Amino acid sequence: MSEFRKPRPSRLPRRIVLPLLLALVVAAGAGLYAFQPWKAFTTTTVNESLPAASPSAAASPAVGATGPSTVPEPPAGPTDLARGGFVSHEHATSGTARTVRLADGGRTVLRLEDLATSEGPDVRVYLSRRDAGAAEAGLGQGAVELGRLKGNRGNQNYAVPAGTDPVGYRSVVIWCARFSVSFGAADLAPVAMPSPPAAREEAGRARPAVVQFAVPGHP
């Protein structure tokens, strides 16, 4: 009686197995790089003070100059141009956005205060010409990038590029460039600008004088 032998299971040749394993490793690494799932469990807090005025903003009197010396007035404080609160899009987002003209008068920054959102891969801060609701579908034409998000929590400053007028932008968007989604956005509502003291004094001087005439026999 002949002995029955079980067929041996077929094995893939090593020249096929090794490239296949290498491809799986590369695919897994690419997936981790793209999604960075660990960031769902991490938090980066960045707290910055509002930048001070540039030292060159306060001019000093020239040495040896003739004529009466004048003491330069200290620069005015920072001025809010617009502000608004964040609303959530792809991720829960809260906080306040402000565009601020610094005391030196030449620089404008976007300031995020009490920001709370999620971390993610390649998250950036944009000024958009769309309002916060419309920005959920995309940044729209003419959006200006201010840089990578420094942290998903805290108080942070982002320089507005020179030559960019923030008045022409309607919202701030926390944008994930990797997946083209908005984490959250804030509408920028203009802040009423108070009249400077010089303008108020000029308006007071421009008021017409009231002339009173005394009529004889009448008190």
Side-chain angles (χ1 to χ4, degrees), residues 3 28 111 150:
E3 183 181 354
R111 181 162 175 82
K150 299 176 182 179

Side-chain angles (χ1 to χ4, degrees), residues 29-215:
L32 288 174
Y33 173 78
F35 289 94
Q36 300 181 10
W38 59 87
K39 288 198 171 183
F41 308 98
T42 61
T43 294
T44 301
T45 301
V46 175
N47 285 311
E48 299 176 328
S49 300
L50 189 66
S54 171
S56 61
S60 56
V63 178
T66 59
S69 61
T70 59
V71 178
E73 294 183 1
T79 303
D80 277 14
L81 303 179
R83 64 185 302 151
F86 276 97
V87 295
S88 301
H89 287 165
E90 190 70 19
H91 294 273
T93 303
S94 61
T96 302
R98 301 164 52 200
T99 51
V100 183
R101 179 173 291 126
L102 299 181
D104 55 25
R107 294 183 297 160
T108 302
V109 299
L110 169 70
R111 181 162 175 82
L112 307 184
E113 296 181 332
D114 300 321
L115 176 67
T117 188
S118 298
E119 286 207 297
D122 201 11
V123 181
R124 301 169 183 264
V125 180
Y126 279 86
L127 291 176
S128 173
R129 298 189 186 276
R130 293 181 169 181
D131 60 34
E136 185 173 9
L139 293 168
Q141 295 292 327
V144 173
E145 181 186 336
L146 303 185
R148 291 180 180 270
L149 185 67
K150 299 176 182 179
N152 63 313
R153 293 182 183 273
N155 306 284
Q156 304 152 25
N157 306 307
Y158 297 86
V160 176
T164 300
D165 185 2
V167 175
Y169 296 87
R170 302 177 63 185
S171 67
V172 176
V173 186
I174 308 298
W175 183 260
C176 178
R178 182 69 50 79
F179 299 106
S180 297
V181 295
S182 170
F183 281 17
D187 282 320
L188 292 173
V191 175
M193 304 288 288
S195 300
R200 290 196 296 266
E201 293 175 4
E202 184 67 26
R205 288 195 296 267
R207 293 176 182 173
V210 177
V211 180
Q212 295 181 345
F213 294 93
V215 178

